[in-house]
Amino acid sequence: MSTRTVSTPARAPLADGSRPLLRLAFAAPLSVVAGLLLVTAYPALAWWPMAFPAVVLTLLTLIGRRFWSAVLVGFLFGAAFFSVNLLFTARYLGPVPWLALSVLEALLTAVLAAPLALAYRWMPRLAPGALGRLVLLPALVAGLWTLREQIVGSWPYGGFPWGRIGVSQVNGPFAEAASWVGMSGVTFLVVLFCAMVVELVRRRTSGSRLARAVPAAPAAIVLIVLLVAPQFPTTDAGSLRVGAVQGNGPAGYFDRRAPNAVLNAQLAASAPLIGQRMDVLLWPEGGVDSDPTSTPATAAALEEMSRRVDAPLLVSAVTERGDELFNSSLLWTGEGQQGDTYDKRHPVPFGEYVPDRAFWEPFAPDLIGLIGREYTPGTTRPLIDLGGIGVGLAICFDVIYDDVVWDGAAEGAEVYTFQTNNADFRGTDENLQQLAFARMRAIETGRSVVNLSTVGTSQVIAPDGSTLDELPIDTAGHMLTDVPLRTGLTPAVVIGPAVKIVLGWGSLAALLLAGILVAVRARGGATGGKKKTPTPAGADV
């Protein structure tokens, strides 16, 4: 009488992750497809649902992989994604910086793909049951993905938190969850749902009785939370009448221009607002191309404009203090500068300054030599007092860093003004990607945002992320808008830093603990003198 086997070798990898789910020959090109698919979730296409199949495909390529093969598929995914998503950087200094940044981001993604693969190898050995496979493993994977975003967004030289899964959802029904858990929390929830679906399908195809008995409750709960979670309410505090001017001047770093050409463009585009009632006149980053704190003629022009519109000006200029240069926001009235100055907290490495210039310059002396400016990171609070109204500030890429926006809300911001200069990236989708961040910040904080560019795209964004007013790109013009004010802090602002620590670094600690426990169990089994019979792939546990 023949003996029937309980499982087949083909199903063993599905049970404990000890072997790759996909051969490397399939996983490698699939990881490229996943990276390119993820690009479509961001502007200009902004097909937000594409983030889900992209994440699923990425996870499938990592299941069961050992270190170096995980690094390879992680690199291919990162290279495919970042080389397209960051293509706008080639518009500024050419292909070398674009290639360097894309490769750096891909290398970081590659190294940080290894922990994801380890999670798939270790967790099923520690928790092979339904709770472990359908909840704990996906939670660990989602946390490690979130950690990857945090590391890429903070290192090296302050990082570059671009291309976060959370911001891809700004046009979808899940964006309101950002007001509770922040952008990192949305990333976690999206990846958690995808990882749960992967495990649910894997267990069902494994043929176990438990897989058939256990419903898809965990994944369904996460999906429901994402769908029905309302935006956290903030309190109506009136409105602020804001004039915002997009001068469309020659504001690019390499644009040929006469002295004060950008200032004159801003003055000309502001002229139609003279005689209109407003509480403040806002100009974009780089809207003043000479330092008004040390150039009397520039200061006089700002004072005159303030008197003519009968409102203070909130402008941006490069200011010099001692031997240091700052990218600054300044409040100017007919009597001169008023209040504190906000200096951009996160100047762009290799764009607004060159970190470790002496080290990098020998590698590309001509290219590094083009970046003559050396902005100093600011340390002041991102807030100004405008007649008793707190106005939160962020300059250009400041908007992609959580600390600037959250600090502004905590300091008492009732509205945000994001001053930006996108002239160096004309003809690309950079302005639309940055605008997605601005819209998500509005939802996350429950505050209106006036996102104003030198050349576009400029928008006034309501606290729910909808558009109240806008100006077309590459056009001189103005907006005059009653912008809603809000008070009260969302959970994202209050617990956001803790959420990032728990989800990101907490997941790394959990992975290390899992690795230790797996090693201890393996050593205990080896010293016990008995060969353990492996659990059949389809058996209930």
Side-chain angles (χ1 to χ4, degrees):
M1 187 174 189
S2 61
T3 302
R4 295 186 63 186
T5 57
V6 178
S7 61
T8 65
R11 287 180 175 173
L14 297 180
D16 61 8
S18 61
R19 295 181 183 178
L21 184 64
L22 301 174
R23 293 180 179 179
L24 187 58
F26 294 108
L30 195 61
S31 65
V32 174
V33 172
L36 295 176
L37 194 62
L38 184 58
V39 171
T40 66
Y42 299 85
L45 293 176
W47 297 341
W48 63 267
M50 293 299 99
F52 291 84
V55 171
V56 167
L57 290 179
T58 305
L59 298 181
L60 291 176
T61 65
L62 291 171
I63 293 174
R65 306 235 79 87
R66 294 189 180 275
F67 180 84
W68 287 113
S69 63
V71 168
L72 175 60
V73 297
F75 177 81
L76 293 173
F77 163 76
F81 173 69
F82 287 109
S83 63
V84 181
N85 186 251
L86 300 177
L87 188 59
F88 64 84
T89 58
R91 174 68 175 78
Y92 176 43
L93 290 175
V96 174
W98 159 72
L99 184 62
L101 180 59
S102 300
V103 170
L104 173 62
E105 303 292 84
L107 287 172
L108 292 173
T109 301
V111 172
L112 296 169
L116 290 167
L118 289 175
Y120 277 114
R121 294 181 68 86
W122 290 343
M123 279 301 294
R125 302 180 191 179
L126 295 178
L131 177 63
R133 293 296 297 273
L134 299 178
V135 178
L136 299 182
L137 174 59
L140 180 58
V141 167
L144 292 170
W145 188 298
T146 306
L147 176 64
R148 180 190 66 79
E149 286 191 353
Q150 293 176 19
I151 292 176
V152 170
S154 59
W155 186 89
Y157 304 125
F160 191 54
W162 203 264
R164 298 161 71 174
I165 294 293
V167 79
S168 74
Q169 300 303 297
V170 69
N171 294 311
F174 309 140
E176 292 182 340
S179 66
W180 296 87
V181 292
M183 268 192 271
S184 289
V186 175
T187 291
F188 175 83
L189 290 172
V190 169
V191 179
L192 176 64
F193 174 74
C194 292
M196 284 178 165
V197 170
V198 168
E199 290 307 305
L200 182 66
V201 173
R202 291 176 70 207
R203 287 190 68 81
R204 286 187 182 277
T205 56
S206 71
S208 70
R209 291 188 301 273
L210 181 62
R212 292 191 295 269
V214 176
I221 290 172
V222 173
L223 182 60
I224 291 171
V225 167
L226 282 168
L227 282 172
V228 306
Q231 185 182 11
F232 186 86
T234 48
T235 304
D236 185 357
S239 65
L240 185 73
R241 192 165 177 80
V242 179
V245 175
Q246 177 180 293
N248 198 40
Y253 188 61
F254 298 112
D255 286 352
R256 294 182 179 181
R257 56 178 175 264
N260 290 320
V262 180
L263 171 62
N264 291 332
Q266 287 295 134
L267 291 170
S270 300
L273 288 171
I274 295 173
Q276 302 288 331
R277 184 186 66 81
M278 70 189 76
D279 298 310
V280 65
L281 177 59
L282 178 67
W283 283 5
E285 177 194 24
V288 181
D289 44 356
S290 53
D291 184 357
T293 65
S294 61
T295 308
T298 302
L302 298 180
E303 291 161 13
E304 177 63 19
M305 177 54 70
S306 177
R307 286 191 289 266
R308 295 183 72 184
V309 299
D310 193 26
L313 273 65
L314 182 54
V315 300
S316 173
V318 178
T319 60
E320 185 174 359
R321 274 160 262 161
D323 295 330
E324 295 181 320
L325 293 176
F326 298 88
N327 190 349
S328 305
S329 289
L330 311 102
L331 189 64
W332 218 273
T333 70
E335 288 72 45
Q337 184 182 2
Q338 304 292 319
D340 297 328
T341 297
Y342 169 68
D343 301 315
K344 186 175 183 179
R345 190 177 292 184
H346 296 281
V348 180
F350 302 100
E352 294 179 313
Y353 77 106
V354 180
D356 299 323
R357 181 182 285 267
F359 175 80
W360 293 111
E361 195 157 25
F363 294 96
D366 294 338
L367 189 61
I368 296 297
L370 291 174
I371 308 171
R373 52 193 175 188
E374 288 288 337
Y375 292 166
T376 301
T379 57
T380 54
R381 66 176 188 163
L383 185 82
I384 62 163
D385 186 309
L386 187 65
I389 296 173
V391 178
L393 304 170
I395 300 177
C396 201
F397 283 174
D398 267 346
V399 70
I400 69 178
Y401 294 90
D402 295 333
D403 63 303
V404 178
V405 178
W406 292 349
D407 286 355
E411 291 281 355
E414 299 174 49
V415 63
Y416 285 102
T417 58
F418 295 161
Q419 298 163 294
T420 183
N421 178 9
N422 306 106
D424 287 319
F425 306 111
R426 289 179 189 263
T428 74
D429 60 11
E430 180 274 339
N431 65 310
L432 297 177
Q433 291 196 52
Q434 186 176 332
L435 186 63
F437 272 96
R439 291 180 57 212
M440 187 60 91
R441 293 305 186 189
I443 297 169
E444 183 183 55
T445 62
R447 301 288 193 278
S448 299
V449 169
V450 183
N451 187 82
L452 183 64
S453 171
T454 48
V455 299
T457 301
S458 298
Q459 283 191 351
V460 179
I461 304 165
D464 63 0
S466 61
T467 301
L468 297 176
D469 205 348
E470 64 183 325
L471 290 169
I473 193 169
D474 295 330
T475 303
H478 68 272
M479 300 179 286
L480 186 60
T481 315
D482 291 313
V483 181
L485 301 176
R486 293 289 188 271
T487 59
L489 299 179
T490 63
V493 173
V494 176
I495 66 172
V499 168
K500 293 174 68 173
I501 292 172
V502 171
L503 294 183
W505 298 107
S507 297
L508 181 60
L511 179 67
L512 293 175
L513 178 60
I516 292 171
L517 292 176
V518 167
V520 169
R521 287 189 179 185
R523 179 173 298 180
T527 58
K530 293 183 178 180
K531 184 177 180 180
K532 293 182 67 177
T533 302
T535 302
D540 294 342
V541 288

